[in-house]
Amino acid sequence: MTAARLCVVFTQRFRKQVKAGFASLLLLLIVFPLASVHAQVLTLINGDDTRQLPVATLLQQADATFTLFDPYQGRDVEMRGFEFRDFLIEQFGDIPPELHFTAWDDYSVTLGGWDDPNWFMIVEEDGEPLSLRSRGPFRLVERDYGTRDVNSLREFNDWVWMIRSIEARW
């Protein structure tokens, strides 16, 4: 193959890659704002009953502000939210034995043991409402770490963030 032909082949492939990259970027620019719009609600599922609570409603409910060391950020963070146990009783009438969480990145997990006043639903951090970029719009954290080592992230693997929906498992 001649140098001129190699140049033409390279140019054609480069153009295709640029077009594909541009199309991907355009798609992200369209889809990400839509995800952000939809990230303005929390979906609660209890059997056949499905409800959506707006972020604004939960921001108004946030009655507790405290500062704690966030092991994922490696710094003290002011958090605002509400006691999760009380929220569950208000929304489901009781504390379900297990909850199934689905996050905005499609991660899902089922966990039990929520009858604990140490768990807080966080909706704001350092005075700003949580967004998808800040692991929001809703995040579950423990207010008291007990004797756990904040330098071992494995000890905080039950924190749940980017919460899109919570399903009661009776």
Side-chain angles (χ1 to χ4, degrees):
M1 202 181 281
T2 67
R5 179 68 183 139
L6 280 173
C7 212
V8 169
V9 169
F10 175 76
T11 303
Q12 289 172 341
R13 287 183 181 166
F14 181 74
R15 284 184 182 160
K16 286 181 184 177
Q17 289 176 344
V18 168
K19 285 181 183 178
F22 181 73
S24 297
L25 179 62
L26 186 60
L27 183 62
L28 282 174
L29 291 174
I30 292 169
V31 171
F32 188 72
L34 291 176
S36 295
V37 169
H38 294 291
Q40 298 302 312
V41 297
L42 172 65
T43 301
L44 297 175
I45 304 163
N46 189 8
D48 293 333
D49 181 36
T50 299
R51 292 178 292 128
Q52 292 189 327
L53 295 176
V55 170
T57 300
L58 296 175
L59 279 167
Q60 291 172 351
Q61 273 187 257
D63 59 357
T65 301
F66 52 90
T67 300
L68 65 95
F69 183 81
D70 183 334
Y72 294 95
Q73 296 183 60
R75 66 181 181 90
D76 285 336
V77 177
E78 182 182 273
M79 298 185 180
R80 191 167 80 91
F82 45 86
E83 191 175 307
F84 190 54
R85 181 177 67 172
D86 293 345
F87 174 77
L88 293 175
I89 293 169
E90 178 184 320
Q91 297 302 320
F92 297 119
D94 200 355
I95 300 169
E98 292 184 324
L99 297 172
H100 181 78
F101 298 93
T102 303
W104 283 97
D105 63 358
D106 289 327
Y107 173 79
S108 65
V109 64
T110 302
L111 299 169
W114 297 107
D115 192 8
D116 180 351
N118 193 36
W119 285 100
F120 277 75
M121 175 77 86
I122 302 302
V123 295
E124 193 174 278
E125 181 178 274
D126 291 333
E128 296 293 323
L130 294 178
S131 66
L132 290 176
R133 287 183 176 229
S134 61
R135 297 176 290 147
F138 309 103
R139 183 183 323 146
L140 281 172
V141 303
E142 294 168 284
R143 188 170 179 171
D144 180 13
Y145 300 156
T147 60
R148 283 180 287 164
D149 177 10
V150 295
N151 295 313
S152 176
L153 294 180
R154 273 183 261 151
E155 297 202 30
F156 297 90
N157 62 3
D158 47 1
W159 282 23
V160 184
W161 54 72
M162 292 178 65
I163 300 171
R164 180 176 58 189
S165 67
I166 302 172
E167 179 182 358
R169 296 275 173 100
W170 302 99

